[in-house]
């Protein structure tokens, strides 16, 4: 489900997420809302963490390293490359319903960011966009 960032419908989002999790499905959330150009991890938004805290859902932080070299921001093309996922220990949120979602989001960010940013100094390969991608961009 995509979320309209200008007018997020919290009732709809939380209802949808509750239905998923009550059916035993997992939710994958990218709490920054967008990718950075330089590979640095931005501030996490609190909404998904609020949901996890209220529902008592465990949170499994995942650091993604190298994806910015495979799919450059602003381009539709993907390129060959290596991406590493580091799955961190789950965080049990049971009994944390009264915790501050933004503080919890920052706690999770501090787990993810050091590894996710481990390739920040590596410049992305210079990849010229294909003519098809350029045509789409101009359209």
């Amino acid at each position: 489900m995509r979320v309209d960032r200008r007018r997020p419908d919290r009732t709809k989002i939380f209802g949808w997420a509750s239905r998923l999790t009550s059916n035993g499905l997992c939710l994958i959330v990218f709490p920054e809302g967008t990718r950075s150009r330089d590979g640095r991890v931005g501030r996490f938004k609190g909404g998904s963490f609020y949901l996890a805290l209220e529902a008592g859902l465990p949170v499994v932080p995942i650091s993604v390293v190298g994806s910015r070299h495979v799919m450059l921001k602003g381009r539709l093309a993907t390129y060959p490359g290596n991406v590493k996922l580091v799955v961190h220990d789950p965080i049990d949120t049971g009994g944390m319903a009264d915790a501050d979602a933004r503080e919890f989001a920052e706690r999770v960010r501090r787990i993810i960011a050091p590894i996710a940013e481990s390739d920040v100094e590596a410049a992305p390969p210079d990849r010229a966009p294909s003519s098809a991608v350029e045509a789409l961009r101009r359209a």
Side-chain angles (χ1 to χ4, degrees), residues 93-108:
T93 63
M96 293 177 60
D98 292 335
D100 182 280
R102 290 196 188 274
E103 286 178 19
F104 184 58
E106 182 54 30
R107 174 181 164 196
V108 174

Side-chain angles (χ1 to χ4, degrees), residues 13-135:
I13 294 166
F14 289 155
W16 170 79
S18 293
R19 285 190 302 280
L20 282 178
T21 57
S22 67
N23 287 318
L25 299 173
C26 295
L27 212 55
I28 297 175
V29 178
F30 297 92
E32 288 178 278
T34 191
R35 297 179 295 141
S36 67
R37 288 197 183 275
D38 65 1
R40 298 202 189 282
V41 177
R43 183 180 70 82
F44 284 3
K45 297 176 182 196
S48 56
F49 295 97
Y50 174 79
L51 172 68
L53 292 169
E54 286 294 307
L57 297 171
V59 171
V60 181
I62 299 175
S63 296
V64 181
V65 183
S67 63
R68 70 189 183 100
H69 301 296
V70 174
M71 186 172 184
L72 293 118
K73 185 170 175 95
R75 298 201 186 163
L76 298 175
T78 57
Y79 303 96
N82 295 312
V83 176
K84 179 169 87 171
L85 299 177
V86 177
V87 180
H88 301 277
D89 292 333
I91 302 170
D92 181 10
T93 63
M96 293 177 60
D98 292 335
D100 182 280
R102 290 196 188 274
E103 286 178 19
F104 184 58
E106 182 54 30
R107 174 181 164 196
V108 174
R109 186 189 172 287
R110 285 192 306 267
I111 294 168
I112 291 172
I115 294 173
E117 293 177 350
S118 64
D119 76 334
V120 164
E121 298 305 319
D126 185 27
R127 312 232 194 232
S130 70
S131 57
V133 172
E134 266 312 305

